Amino acid sequence: MTMKEKIVRHFATWSASGLMLLSFYSGCGDRRGEVSFEPDMALAWPEPPETPRIKYMGEISTEADLEKESSWTEGLGELFFGKKEIGVLVCPYAIAADRHNRLYVTDTAGSVVHIFDLANRTYRQFADLGKGEKLLKPVGLAIVDRWIFVVDSALRKICVFDRNGKFITSFGDERLKRPSGIAFHPDDKTLYVSDAARHVIDVFSMNGTFIRQIGSRGVSAGLFNFPTHLWVGQNRCLYVSDTLNYRIQIFTPDGRFLRAFGGQGDRPGNFAHPCGVATDASGNIYVTDRQFENVQIFDPQGQILMAFGQEGTQPGQFWLPAGICVDNRNRIYVVDSFNKRIQVFELLERIEK
């Protein structure tokens, strides 16, 4: 066989293989539609014979949980160059959801912010601050229009990104010592930032200008002892997880103390280590507890309604739960930190006594 014939045969063989690959991968288009949670087991709270109020939906721990199939071009790339590394939660801490059904998760050990797009089944992460600097210990975050405000407790500042994760600016390092949580007030366009080391809530404008301070260290109403997570409800009130005072404090939109509930103890309605706080469309208040390993639900006045979860690694169980978020469809996302996952629950109907 001449050299020319060998080249022709080699080219024909490669072409045939390529056609087979194209044929194989042409049937692997992107799976459209929103992520559909299909739990392996039926779990609901409270248990029968009570009427179920909270239903377990599923969990997210890696990019693969979005279950997006590869296109044929992605398949070819993986065939020749190997599979890329996928996004994995290492030690998630806080979570926020935007109106486009995207979940943003801070990862204190991974030093990144993860974005899980449930509607389009895509994933990305970001951490770059430019000039060789990166996020070190991202904790709280807030989504405001097209901006993402990330609290970094190690850098002692608020880092601002666009929706694609491109760094824009930062602020707060001249005041903050150990910032932990953040929440946005839509009426006056301000940001509340909890500082656990200074035991205060600082209020900033969206451009980073300091406006005022709420509280100081103490045990009386309106004072704090290591405040951590924050939430602004549909009633525009500010909810503060006053962690080492073992309570949740509620403030009016202008920062005046409204009420508090909780207290140290082991009875329903007490706290051992309150952490994440959120509200649903009915004004009910959800609080994670890192020592009780559960989520307690209170009415708008702070009266206990029910609880769900316990210590463990199975669905509906927790290991140091942290942040919590309730979206506009009353889906409940709980950051299960040491289980390296986000557990997803659904509010079946309004919870009442």
Side-chain angles (χ1 to χ4, degrees):
M1 182 182 296
T2 66
M3 179 61 68
K4 181 177 180 180
E5 289 173 332
K6 289 181 179 179
I7 293 174
V8 170
R9 171 175 287 187
H10 179 74
F11 180 79
T13 303
W14 186 91
S15 299
S17 300
L19 288 173
M20 289 176 65
L21 286 170
L22 290 178
S23 175
F24 176 77
Y25 282 111
S26 64
C28 296
D30 291 346
R31 183 184 296 171
R32 302 297 180 183
E34 183 182 340
V35 171
S36 177
F37 294 103
E38 298 177 357
D40 296 329
M41 60 182 69
L43 290 175
W45 296 264
E47 297 180 353
E50 300 292 330
T51 302
R53 307 294 189 183
I54 302 292
K55 176 184 176 182
Y56 172 77
M57 299 290 290
E59 67 177 57
I60 297 173
S61 58
T62 75
E63 174 187 357
D65 292 324
L66 297 177
E67 298 179 339
K68 181 176 179 179
E69 294 180 348
S70 300
S71 66
W72 69 268
T73 53
E74 292 172 327
L76 279 176
E78 290 181 358
L79 180 68
F80 290 114
F81 303 109
K83 288 183 176 292
K84 65 171 185 174
E85 293 185 3
I86 64 173
V88 177
L89 296 177
V90 182
C91 188
Y93 186 73
I95 187 168
D98 69 10
R99 63 179 182 273
H100 302 294
N101 209 16
R102 289 186 289 251
L103 300 179
Y104 300 78
V105 183
T106 58
D107 194 322
T108 57
S111 301
V112 299
V113 176
H114 305 268
I115 307 177
F116 296 93
D117 189 329
L118 303 184
N120 297 305
R121 298 174 180 269
T122 59
Y123 167 88
R124 64 179 182 275
Q125 62 175 240
F126 62 87
D128 186 33
L129 302 177
K131 298 181 179 179
E133 187 179 29
K134 293 182 179 296
L135 293 172
L136 293 181
K137 193 174 182 181
V139 283
L141 79 166
I143 313 303
V144 184
D145 298 326
R146 63 184 184 276
W147 311 115
I148 308 168
F149 294 83
V150 179
V151 179
D152 194 301
S153 64
L155 296 174
R156 300 184 297 106
K157 61 185 178 181
I158 312 302
C159 302
V160 188
F161 302 83
D162 67 16
R163 68 180 64 183
N164 296 314
K166 179 182 178 182
F167 176 68
I168 305 299
T169 187
S170 64
F171 62 87
D173 52 325
E174 72 284 352
R175 291 185 56 83
L176 301 171
K177 290 186 177 180
R178 199 171 81 202
S180 49
I182 187 170
F184 173 70
H185 197 287
D187 293 343
D188 56 9
K189 308 296 182 183
T190 55
L191 292 159
Y192 300 102
V193 179
S194 56
D195 192 325
R198 292 170 49 235
H199 313 283
V200 300
I201 309 297
D202 282 339
V203 184
F204 295 90
S205 68
M206 285 186 62
N207 64 11
T209 301
F210 173 73
I211 299 174
R212 67 181 185 276
Q213 175 183 305
I214 301 174
S216 60
R217 189 169 196 178
V219 298
S220 301
L223 303 182
F224 306 107
N225 193 14
F226 291 94
T228 53
H229 290 251
L230 305 177
W231 179 271
V232 172
Q234 294 186 13
N235 59 2
R236 302 302 196 249
C237 288
L238 172 66
Y239 298 79
V240 181
S241 185
D242 190 9
T243 300
L244 292 190
N245 278 330
Y246 310 100
R247 65 187 178 186
I248 300 297
Q249 295 203 66
I250 308 174
F251 296 81
T252 63
D254 59 358
R256 291 181 293 108
F257 172 79
L258 184 61
R259 72 177 64 91
F261 63 89
Q264 187 176 18
D266 56 8
R267 297 171 60 87
N270 293 152
F271 297 118
H273 191 129
C275 196
V277 59
T279 61
D280 63 22
S282 299
N284 294 320
I285 306 162
Y286 299 70
V287 183
T288 63
D289 195 299
R290 290 172 74 81
Q291 289 191 34
F292 289 159
E293 315 281 9
N294 69 0
V295 178
Q296 294 189 80
I297 307 175
F298 302 82
D299 71 11
Q301 303 303 313
Q303 298 298 311
I304 184 69
L305 296 174
M306 62 169 288
F308 65 94
Q310 63 186 46
E311 182 178 359
T313 61
Q314 299 301 310
Q317 298 177 348
F318 303 106
W319 190 5
L320 294 183
I324 187 170
C325 174
V326 182
D327 68 12
N328 56 13
R329 297 181 300 176
N330 278 339
R331 276 189 178 175
I332 306 157
Y333 303 92
V334 181
V335 178
D336 192 5
S337 291
F338 272 36
N339 281 325
K340 307 178 187 297
R341 64 187 179 184
I342 306 299
Q343 294 204 62
V344 187
F345 304 86
E346 182 178 51
L347 177 61
L348 299 178
E349 56 183 273
R350 181 171 179 168
I351 303 174
E352 298 176 346
K353 283 189 174 182

